[in-house]
Amino acid sequence: MNDLEREIEESRARLDDTIDRIQGRLSVPNLVDEMLGNARRVPALNTTYDSALEAVRRNPVPVLLIAAGVGLLFSRMAKDAGRRRTEVAATRVPTLNTGAARGYDPDLPTVRPARDPLDKTEI
């Protein structure tokens, strides 16, 4: 039983090591570095990437403000699209319009139809 436990512990250690390596590769900084590295390998994007990176380094505040503005724009566009979807859905709801719609005025007395007093109500 001792050998079996030792093998299980070794398997767990290998599995933990593999999981740690995968998590390291999937971290945000590593993903960004990989994307930027791929952009630098393309000759047409290399000079564009370098000039954009230099502009960001020289002017970080305006770049952050622009990014915040673009984020707000996308957020507003998403809200407007949701509101338009709601409005379109509301116009598709069928309505009953028989022409007999009346407004209610609480100041007017309730008018009941005149009945003939000679009519008998049979129960």
Side-chain angles (χ1 to χ4, degrees), residues 2 10 17-18 20 22-24 31 39 42 45 51 75-76 86 89-90 95 98 100 105 113-114 117-118 121-122:
N2 197 7
E10 288 174 0
D17 185 47
T18 304
D20 288 342
I22 290 172
Q23 284 178 342
L31 290 175
V42 178
L45 295 177
S51 62
S75 171
R76 183 79 171 261
T86 303
T95 58
T98 61
D105 189 356
L118 300 176
T121 306
E122 294 183 23

Side-chain angles (χ1 to χ4, degrees), residues 20-106:
D20 288 342
R21 280 188 277 135
I22 290 172
Q23 284 178 342
R25 286 183 184 171
L26 294 179
S27 68
V28 174
N30 284 343
L31 290 175
V32 170
D33 287 343
E34 187 174 332
M35 285 187 336
L36 295 177
N38 289 337
R40 291 190 123 205
R41 289 186 198 115
V42 178
L45 295 177
N46 194 6
T47 57
T48 305
Y49 170 77
D50 287 338
S51 62
L53 187 60
E54 183 60 32
V56 170
R57 285 182 180 153
R58 279 185 280 134
N59 307 305
V61 174
V63 170
L64 289 174
L65 291 174
I66 290 170
V70 169
L72 288 173
L73 175 67
F74 284 142
S75 171
R76 183 79 171 261
M77 288 171 52
K79 284 181 186 176
D80 289 345
R83 187 176 30 177
R84 272 187 258 122
R85 279 192 299 271
T86 303
E87 289 172 359
V88 168
T91 58
R92 291 183 184 165
V93 174
T95 58
L96 177 63
N97 189 3
T98 61
R102 290 180 259 165
Y104 171 73
D105 189 356

